[in-house]
Amino acid sequence: MARVSQEHLDARRRQILDGASLCFARNGFHATSMQDVLKEVDLSAGAVYRYFRGKEELIGAIVSEVLETVGDTYERAAQETPPPLPDVLIPRTLARLKEVKSGVLDSGEWVFPRLMIQVWAETLRNDELAVVMRTGFDKVCAAWAKVVESYKAAGLMPEEADADAMARTMIALAQGFAAQLAVFGAVPADVLQNGLRALMSMRTPDPVA
């Protein structure tokens, strides 16, 4: 029997994950069956179950991949001199996610924001997924903290700035914007960047004499 290449195995795994992402984003996690996934990817049950034992493993793999992508983007940013400011870095991160999770629904709507909301909801009732989410989130926070330390080293932020607090705030901002995309639909790409720049331009007013 001919040996299957790693490239083929990776491509098949990618096909399954992308198809499952479309199904979950379209109909929700609980309304999607493994039969729906099989139909979407046009593969046999044996071909899919070779990679994933069920929906839980699929959603866990999707979450891990997304969080790894986000963390890697921040890790790379921390190594830049000077590191990109939030008004550049956060839109860059969403753009990178759009490369990794590029799927769209029949309406043209980007899959990822809808998928993100489905994952959050499932995390509240699925302890195993919650562990995956927590582990990935901690890694993303740690990567953001490295960006903050790079800001300090470049003189862009005071030494006493709380790296963890900023990391959580910036992550929440990106998550909240993605949630808006899911609920209200697409907005111009520069809205997030312009909003961040406006926030970053605020200054404490001089005291009245």
Side-chain angles (χ1 to χ4, degrees):
M1 180 181 293
R3 202 175 165 189
V4 178
S5 69
Q6 187 60 48
E7 182 179 0
H8 173 83
L9 294 173
D10 291 344
R12 181 56 53 84
R13 188 175 189 274
R14 172 85 275 134
Q15 177 186 357
I16 296 168
L17 286 175
D18 288 347
S21 295
L22 281 170
C23 288
F24 296 148
R26 184 187 299 126
N27 300 318
F29 185 75
H30 291 286
T32 298
S33 67
M34 283 301 290
Q35 287 299 318
D36 294 326
V37 175
L38 297 179
K39 183 178 179 181
E40 183 71 38
V41 299
D42 194 24
L43 293 172
S44 68
V48 171
Y49 285 112
R50 175 180 183 179
Y51 296 86
F52 304 101
R53 289 180 294 181
K55 289 196 300 181
E56 286 73 18
E57 282 198 2
L58 276 167
I59 199 70
I62 291 168
V63 169
S64 294
E65 180 181 60
V66 166
L67 292 172
E68 183 178 345
T69 299
V70 173
D72 180 66
T73 302
Y74 294 151
E75 290 273 1
R76 292 174 182 270
Q79 297 171 15
E80 295 183 39
T81 305
L85 296 179
D87 64 315
V88 172
L89 180 52
I90 294 180
R92 178 194 294 181
T93 302
L94 290 175
R96 176 65 182 130
L97 283 174
K98 204 159 190 177
E99 293 176 9
V100 174
K101 285 293 174 192
S102 59
V104 294
L105 301 176
D106 292 340
S107 62
E109 184 180 357
W110 183 26
V111 161
F112 172 73
R114 292 175 61 94
L115 182 63
M116 181 190 73
I117 290 180
Q118 298 292 341
V119 168
W120 286 353
E122 180 62 15
T123 299
L124 296 177
R125 60 165 296 280
N126 186 321
D127 291 340
E128 290 185 7
L129 181 58
V131 170
V132 173
M133 181 71 82
R134 167 58 64 183
T135 300
F137 181 81
D138 288 346
K139 290 180 179 178
V140 171
C141 277
W144 237 116
K146 291 181 181 179
V147 176
V148 174
E149 294 306 318
S150 295
Y151 289 155
K152 293 180 181 180
L156 299 172
M157 183 172 287
E159 282 295 324
E160 65 271 18
D162 187 329
D164 182 69
M166 184 172 180
R168 291 176 180 275
T169 300
M170 292 296 100
I171 293 168
L173 193 152
Q175 291 172 324
F177 188 76
Q180 289 186 40
L181 292 177
V183 176
F184 302 119
V187 296
D190 59 355
V191 166
L192 178 59
Q193 186 172 61
N194 291 340
L196 273 167
R197 284 178 176 168
L199 286 171
M200 290 164 57
S201 70
M202 294 179 68
R203 297 289 184 271
T204 302
D206 295 332
V208 178

